Amino acid sequence: MNVSKEIHKTNCNKKVWQRSFHDHIIRNEHDYEEIWQYIDNNPLKWESDCFYCEK
């Protein structure tokens, strides 16, 4: 929060945080495995994403 306040003092139009984003603390091995699977597999889904556009 303090970082955002300082940035807005100099440039009030600058967006620094992604909206609707939340952090998750990895509490155990199960959490770690789920997050790792998401990170590992997510790029494979890129072509089906609504923002994908073939160049």
Side-chain angles (χ1 to χ4, degrees), residues 7-21:
I7 291 171
H8 285 103
K9 284 180 185 177
T10 60
N11 186 348
C12 61
N13 295 323
K14 182 79 171 170
K15 293 183 182 181
V16 292
W17 303 117
Q18 180 178 346
R19 293 184 59 137
S20 301
F21 175 80

Side-chain angles (χ1 to χ4, degrees), residues 19-38:
R19 293 184 59 137
S20 301
F21 175 80
H22 68 277
D23 288 332
H24 177 79
I25 297 171
I26 299 173
R27 300 185 189 278
N28 54 42
E29 187 73 22
H30 181 260
D31 282 354
Y32 174 82
E33 289 294 328
E34 283 191 343
I35 293 167
W36 178 259
Q37 288 297 318
Y38 174 81

